[in-house]
Amino acid sequence: MSNSSSFNDFLLLAFADAWELQLLHFLLFLGIYLAALLGNGLIITAVACDHHLHTPVYFFLLNLSLLDLGCISTTVPKSMANSLWNTRAISYLGCAAQVFLVVFLFAGEFSLLTVMAYDRFVAICKPLHYRNIIGSSACVRMTAAAWASSFLNAVLHTANTFSISLCQGNVVDQFFCEIPQILKLSCSDSYLSEVGLLVVSACLTFGCFVFVVVSYVQIFTAVLRIPSEQGRHKAFSMCLPHLVVVSLFVSTTMFAYLKPPSISFQALDLVGAVLYAVVPPTVNPLIYSMRNKELKDALRKAVEISGGPNEQKKEYAVPNSRKDPKDKPGSCRPFIFTLLFSRGERHMYQDRQRRDRQRSDPEEKVWTL
């Protein structure tokens, strides 16, 4: 095969040859996929439908859940279908689309995790300046920059990867189309341009990771000055899992994309791919909701409202200028509409929320994520 146009499909890695093991793989991935769909779907529903969560930190969390859904939906369903139907094939265009979506969504997720680390840093280390730094327009700009830069990155990598001549067959040693595995099929030195792009992307990723680590060092330094032991425990319990997921995501991704071919083992490559492509989208909803009282209350309220019209619903006080027939618990309103409200009205509303929380729970802190 002289180039990539001489075949119409690729053959992905099969987890096992025996039908029983393939069925086990299908059921395992099905459980993981459904858990990810449920967790991220609940977060998206709660944030979109509860106007009390229409704040910058939950805006970032909603975007993260959207990216997580896209990430796991790009890789896992195709692998499940191949195991169920006892096939390994993926079309050439399907492989190109998978490469584009993998790079786009995972780059977007890491960019957003970096933005969320900055948001946490400002909220904890500079609480008096939080509203001036993380305003509604800043939220939209940072999120748009994360999506746009990831899209450009994906276009460059996909176009460059599939312009390379492939002469080593069409067998991809991974359960989805991954750039390093496709580069193994290239001829001679034709892959060096894509390797250069990968190195540049890795340097940018490492720079963002350093920024995240420095931000958390500052956060932990500020947390240690909190007089309340309960407050310190709450801060560490929310920040440490996020840092662990970011570290796992970056380390496994950089290992998968930058390791030399001489240390490439099929089992090792498979474990690394699962760790960065399957685990983060599944565990992120647990990390960001398990100890988040506001998010759990919003989910509980949504469940109660869906239970029937006779359920007793708690009414929340909202500014007069925002009251309308649709502004009631459980009604979904455009999130961007809330973010772009006038700053004075939004601050008045947030101050009222904070006073209500402090009256009900004196230990409640200003930051919740």
Side-chain angles (χ1 to χ4, degrees):
M1 298 182 183
S2 60
N3 54 52
S4 58
S5 61
S6 58
F7 49 84
N8 296 322
D9 55 22
F10 291 90
L11 298 179
L12 299 177
L13 176 67
F15 275 79
D17 294 328
W19 163 245
E20 292 80 5
L21 294 178
Q22 289 184 4
L23 183 61
L24 178 63
H25 158 248
F26 169 80
L27 294 175
L28 177 62
F29 266 32
L30 177 63
I32 294 174
Y33 185 59
L34 291 178
L37 288 181
L38 178 63
N40 288 289
L42 286 175
I43 289 179
I44 292 171
T45 302
V47 175
C49 294
D50 193 328
H51 59 268
H52 295 86
L53 301 184
H54 290 186
T55 56
V57 66
Y58 291 106
F59 177 66
F60 296 139
L61 184 57
L62 182 143
N63 279 269
L64 182 66
S65 294
L66 289 173
L67 287 168
D68 281 337
L69 283 179
C71 290
I72 200 164
S73 297
T74 299
T75 57
V76 170
K78 179 59 179 176
S79 179
M80 290 166 49
N82 282 358
S83 293
L84 187 62
W85 300 111
N86 194 25
T87 183
R88 299 171 55 191
I90 182 173
S91 68
Y92 182 86
L93 290 179
C95 187
Q98 202 172 56
V99 167
F100 172 80
L101 290 174
V102 165
V103 177
F104 171 52
L105 295 169
F106 283 101
E109 177 162 347
F110 185 67
S111 300
L112 199 61
L113 288 172
T114 305
V115 171
M116 293 176 70
Y118 176 68
D119 174 78
R120 289 165 182 261
F121 165 75
V122 176
I124 296 177
C125 299
K126 300 181 179 181
L128 299 180
H129 302 282
Y130 180 78
R131 294 171 183 169
N132 294 327
I133 298 175
I134 310 293
S136 58
S137 59
C139 288
V140 174
R141 285 198 300 268
M142 288 189 292
T143 305
W147 285 87
S149 61
S150 303
F151 179 83
L152 178 61
N153 188 38
V155 169
L156 291 175
H157 280 290
T158 305
N160 203 40
T161 299
F162 286 90
S163 65
I164 296 173
S165 297
L166 306 179
C167 56
Q168 303 296 326
N170 64 339
V171 178
V172 178
D173 290 329
Q174 193 54 271
F175 70 95
F176 63 94
C177 286
E178 190 182 50
I179 290 178
Q181 302 300 330
I182 295 177
L183 294 182
K184 289 182 181 180
L185 308 178
S186 63
C187 306
S188 63
D189 296 332
S190 60
Y191 64 92
L192 292 180
S193 59
E194 175 59 20
V195 171
L197 275 179
L198 289 176
V199 171
V200 172
S201 298
C203 291
L204 294 175
T205 301
F206 183 73
C208 291
F209 179 67
V210 170
F211 176 82
V212 171
V213 172
V214 171
S215 298
Y216 272 100
V217 169
Q218 298 294 323
I219 289 172
F220 293 146
T221 302
V223 166
L224 291 175
R225 294 197 292 265
I226 297 177
S228 169
E229 182 178 352
Q230 182 181 0
R232 291 196 300 269
H233 175 73
K234 182 178 179 180
F236 281 120
S237 66
M238 287 187 296
C239 292
L240 282 175
H242 176 263
L243 187 59
V244 169
V245 169
V246 172
S247 302
L248 178 66
F249 181 76
V250 173
S251 59
T252 53
T253 302
M254 294 187 71
F255 176 78
Y257 280 78
L258 296 180
K259 69 180 184 304
S262 58
I263 62 171
S264 179
F265 302 100
Q266 192 175 84
L268 186 63
D269 294 343
L270 182 60
V271 171
V274 170
L275 286 178
Y276 82 81
V278 178
V279 173
T282 307
V283 302
N284 277 344
L286 295 176
I287 289 175
Y288 291 107
S289 64
M290 195 160 47
R291 289 185 173 90
N292 190 314
K293 184 176 181 298
E294 288 186 341
L295 193 56
K296 288 192 291 187
D297 289 344
L299 290 173
R300 189 180 302 111
K301 183 175 62 176
V303 172
E304 290 175 355
I305 291 173
S306 64
N310 296 326
E311 296 275 352
Q312 292 295 325
K313 304 175 183 63
K314 179 180 177 181
E315 294 292 338
Y316 292 86
V318 296
N320 292 333
S321 57
R322 287 189 57 189
K323 288 184 178 179
D324 59 53
K326 296 181 180 179
D327 197 13
K328 57 185 178 180
S331 62
C332 295
R333 299 187 62 185
F335 199 176
I336 195 68
F337 177 74
T338 304
L339 278 178
L340 297 181
F341 254 83
S342 65
R343 177 172 296 182
E345 180 184 352
R346 189 172 62 256
H347 290 176
M348 179 182 66
Y349 180 45
Q350 292 172 346
D351 288 340
R352 182 178 300 179
Q353 282 187 286
R354 183 154 56 259
R355 288 196 301 270
D356 291 343
R357 288 198 303 269
Q358 289 174 346
R359 281 197 295 268
S360 62
D361 184 5
E363 294 294 328
E364 186 73 18
K365 304 299 178 184
V366 173
W367 43 272
T368 59
L369 271 178

Short mmCIF file of all heavy atoms in Angstrom, two decimals, residues 99-125:
data_model
loop_
_atom_site.label_atom_id
_atom_site.label_comp_id
_atom_site.label_asym_id
_atom_site.label_seq_id
_atom_site.Cartn_x
_atom_site.Cartn_y
_atom_site.Cartn_z
N VAL A 99 -10.29 11.04 14.94
CA VAL A 99 -9.06 11.76 15.30
C VAL A 99 -9.37 13.23 15.57
O VAL A 99 -8.91 13.82 16.57
CB VAL A 99 -8.01 11.62 14.19
CG1 VAL A 99 -6.86 12.61 14.38
CG2 VAL A 99 -7.45 10.20 14.16
N PHE A 100 -10.15 13.84 14.68
CA PHE A 100 -10.49 15.25 14.86
C PHE A 100 -11.23 15.48 16.17
O PHE A 100 -10.90 16.39 16.95
CB PHE A 100 -11.35 15.73 13.69
CG PHE A 100 -11.90 17.12 13.88
CD1 PHE A 100 -11.12 18.23 13.63
CD2 PHE A 100 -13.20 17.30 14.32
CE1 PHE A 100 -11.62 19.52 13.82
CE2 PHE A 100 -13.72 18.57 14.51
CZ PHE A 100 -12.93 19.68 14.26
N LEU A 101 -12.24 14.66 16.44
CA LEU A 101 -13.04 14.86 17.65
C LEU A 101 -12.25 14.56 18.91
O LEU A 101 -12.41 15.25 19.94
CB LEU A 101 -14.29 13.97 17.59
CG LEU A 101 -15.34 14.38 16.56
CD1 LEU A 101 -16.46 13.34 16.49
CD2 LEU A 101 -15.92 15.75 16.88
N VAL A 102 -11.38 13.55 18.88
CA VAL A 102 -10.56 13.24 20.05
C VAL A 102 -9.66 14.42 20.39
O VAL A 102 -9.58 14.86 21.55
CB VAL A 102 -9.74 11.96 19.80
CG1 VAL A 102 -8.62 11.83 20.83
CG2 VAL A 102 -10.63 10.73 19.85
N VAL A 103 -8.96 14.95 19.38
CA VAL A 103 -8.06 16.08 19.64
C VAL A 103 -8.86 17.31 20.07
O VAL A 103 -8.49 18.01 21.04
CB VAL A 103 -7.22 16.39 18.39
CG1 VAL A 103 -6.34 17.62 18.63
CG2 VAL A 103 -6.35 15.20 18.02
N PHE A 104 -9.95 17.59 19.38
CA PHE A 104 -10.76 18.77 19.68
C PHE A 104 -11.33 18.73 21.10
O PHE A 104 -11.19 19.67 21.88
CB PHE A 104 -11.89 18.88 18.65
CG PHE A 104 -12.93 19.92 18.96
CD1 PHE A 104 -12.56 21.22 19.24
CD2 PHE A 104 -14.27 19.59 18.98
CE1 PHE A 104 -13.53 22.19 19.53
CE2 PHE A 104 -15.24 20.53 19.27
CZ PHE A 104 -14.86 21.83 19.55
N LEU A 105 -11.96 17.61 21.45
CA LEU A 105 -12.65 17.53 22.73
C LEU A 105 -11.68 17.41 23.90
O LEU A 105 -11.88 18.05 24.95
CB LEU A 105 -13.62 16.35 22.72
CG LEU A 105 -14.78 16.49 21.73
CD1 LEU A 105 -15.53 15.17 21.58
CD2 LEU A 105 -15.73 17.59 22.16
N PHE A 106 -10.63 16.63 23.75
CA PHE A 106 -9.70 16.47 24.86
C PHE A 106 -8.85 17.72 25.06
O PHE A 106 -8.54 18.10 26.20
CB PHE A 106 -8.82 15.24 24.66
CG PHE A 106 -9.54 13.96 24.96
CD1 PHE A 106 -10.04 13.16 23.95
CD2 PHE A 106 -9.74 13.54 26.27
CE1 PHE A 106 -10.71 12.00 24.22
CE2 PHE A 106 -10.41 12.37 26.56
CZ PHE A 106 -10.90 11.59 25.53
N ALA A 107 -8.47 18.39 23.97
CA ALA A 107 -7.77 19.66 24.12
C ALA A 107 -8.68 20.70 24.76
O ALA A 107 -8.24 21.49 25.61
CB ALA A 107 -7.27 20.15 22.75
N GLY A 108 -9.95 20.70 24.35
CA GLY A 108 -10.90 21.62 24.96
C GLY A 108 -11.10 21.35 26.43
O GLY A 108 -11.21 22.27 27.25
N GLU A 109 -11.13 20.07 26.81
CA GLU A 109 -11.31 19.73 28.22
C GLU A 109 -10.13 20.21 29.05
O GLU A 109 -10.32 20.78 30.14
CB GLU A 109 -11.48 18.22 28.37
CG GLU A 109 -11.59 17.78 29.82
CD GLU A 109 -12.19 16.40 29.98
OE1 GLU A 109 -12.74 15.87 29.00
OE2 GLU A 109 -12.13 15.86 31.09
N PHE A 110 -8.92 19.99 28.56
CA PHE A 110 -7.77 20.44 29.34
C PHE A 110 -7.70 21.97 29.41
O PHE A 110 -7.34 22.53 30.44
CB PHE A 110 -6.47 19.89 28.76
CG PHE A 110 -5.27 20.23 29.59
CD1 PHE A 110 -5.11 19.69 30.86
CD2 PHE A 110 -4.31 21.10 29.12
CE1 PHE A 110 -4.01 20.01 31.63
CE2 PHE A 110 -3.22 21.44 29.89
CZ PHE A 110 -3.07 20.88 31.15
N SER A 111 -8.04 22.64 28.32
CA SER A 111 -8.08 24.10 28.34
C SER A 111 -9.09 24.59 29.37
O SER A 111 -8.82 25.54 30.13
CB SER A 111 -8.44 24.65 26.96
OG SER A 111 -7.51 24.25 25.98
N LEU A 112 -10.24 23.94 29.44
CA LEU A 112 -11.27 24.35 30.40
C LEU A 112 -10.85 24.02 31.83
O LEU A 112 -11.14 24.79 32.76
CB LEU A 112 -12.59 23.67 30.06
CG LEU A 112 -13.83 24.32 30.66
CD1 LEU A 112 -13.99 25.75 30.16
CD2 LEU A 112 -15.07 23.52 30.31
N LEU A 113 -10.16 22.91 32.04
CA LEU A 113 -9.65 22.60 33.37
C LEU A 113 -8.65 23.66 33.82
O LEU A 113 -8.59 24.01 35.01
CB LEU A 113 -8.99 21.21 33.37
CG LEU A 113 -9.93 20.02 33.27
CD1 LEU A 113 -9.13 18.73 33.08
CD2 LEU A 113 -10.82 19.91 34.49
N THR A 114 -7.87 24.18 32.88
CA THR A 114 -6.94 25.26 33.22
C THR A 114 -7.70 26.52 33.62
O THR A 114 -7.34 27.20 34.60
CB THR A 114 -6.02 25.57 32.02
OG1 THR A 114 -5.37 24.36 31.60
CG2 THR A 114 -4.98 26.61 32.37
N VAL A 115 -8.75 26.84 32.87
CA VAL A 115 -9.58 28.01 33.20
C VAL A 115 -10.23 27.82 34.57
O VAL A 115 -10.29 28.76 35.38
CB VAL A 115 -10.65 28.23 32.11
CG1 VAL A 115 -11.64 29.29 32.55
CG2 VAL A 115 -9.99 28.64 30.80
N MET A 116 -10.71 26.61 34.86
CA MET A 116 -11.35 26.36 36.15
C MET A 116 -10.35 26.47 37.30
O MET A 116 -10.70 26.93 38.40
CB MET A 116 -12.00 24.98 36.14
CG MET A 116 -13.17 24.87 35.20
SD MET A 116 -13.88 23.21 35.10
CE MET A 116 -14.63 23.07 36.72
N ALA A 117 -9.11 26.07 37.07
CA ALA A 117 -8.08 26.24 38.10
C ALA A 117 -7.84 27.72 38.37
O ALA A 117 -7.67 28.14 39.54
CB ALA A 117 -6.78 25.55 37.67
N TYR A 118 -7.82 28.53 37.32
CA TYR A 118 -7.67 29.98 37.50
C TYR A 118 -8.86 30.56 38.26
O TYR A 118 -8.69 31.42 39.14
CB TYR A 118 -7.52 30.64 36.14
CG TYR A 118 -7.45 32.15 36.20
CD1 TYR A 118 -6.35 32.79 36.76
CD2 TYR A 118 -8.48 32.93 35.69
CE1 TYR A 118 -6.28 34.18 36.82
CE2 TYR A 118 -8.43 34.31 35.74
CZ TYR A 118 -7.32 34.92 36.30
OH TYR A 118 -7.27 36.30 36.37
N ASP A 119 -10.06 30.08 37.93
CA ASP A 119 -11.26 30.54 38.63
C ASP A 119 -11.18 30.21 40.12
O ASP A 119 -11.51 31.04 40.98
CB ASP A 119 -12.49 29.89 38.01
CG ASP A 119 -13.77 30.21 38.76
OD1 ASP A 119 -14.29 31.32 38.59
OD2 ASP A 119 -14.24 29.33 39.52
N ARG A 120 -10.73 29.03 40.47
CA ARG A 120 -10.57 28.64 41.87
C ARG A 120 -9.53 29.51 42.55
O ARG A 120 -9.71 29.93 43.71
CB ARG A 120 -10.17 27.17 41.96
CG ARG A 120 -11.25 26.20 41.60
CD ARG A 120 -10.65 24.81 41.38
NE ARG A 120 -11.68 23.87 40.97
CZ ARG A 120 -12.26 23.02 41.80
NH1 ARG A 120 -11.96 23.03 43.08
NH2 ARG A 120 -13.17 22.19 41.36
N PHE A 121 -8.43 29.78 41.84
CA PHE A 121 -7.36 30.60 42.41
C PHE A 121 -7.89 31.99 42.77
O PHE A 121 -7.65 32.50 43.86
CB PHE A 121 -6.21 30.70 41.41
CG PHE A 121 -5.22 31.79 41.73
CD1 PHE A 121 -4.31 31.64 42.76
CD2 PHE A 121 -5.22 32.97 40.99
CE1 PHE A 121 -3.40 32.65 43.06
CE2 PHE A 121 -4.32 33.98 41.27
CZ PHE A 121 -3.41 33.82 42.31
N VAL A 122 -8.63 32.60 41.84
CA VAL A 122 -9.15 33.95 42.11
C VAL A 122 -10.19 33.91 43.23
O VAL A 122 -10.20 34.78 44.11
CB VAL A 122 -9.76 34.55 40.83
CG1 VAL A 122 -10.39 35.91 41.10
CG2 VAL A 122 -8.69 34.69 39.75
N ALA A 123 -11.05 32.89 43.24
CA ALA A 123 -12.11 32.81 44.24
C ALA A 123 -11.56 32.65 45.64
O ALA A 123 -12.11 33.21 46.60
CB ALA A 123 -13.06 31.65 43.91
N ILE A 124 -10.48 31.90 45.80
CA ILE A 124 -9.96 31.61 47.14
C ILE A 124 -8.86 32.58 47.55
O ILE A 124 -8.81 33.02 48.70
CB ILE A 124 -9.44 30.16 47.18
CG1 ILE A 124 -10.61 29.19 46.96
CG2 ILE A 124 -8.77 29.86 48.52
CD1 ILE A 124 -10.21 27.74 46.92
N CYS A 125 -8.00 32.94 46.60
CA CYS A 125 -6.86 33.79 46.96
C CYS A 125 -7.16 35.29 46.82
O CYS A 125 -6.51 36.11 47.47
CB CYS A 125 -5.65 33.43 46.10
SG CYS A 125 -5.09 31.72 46.32
#
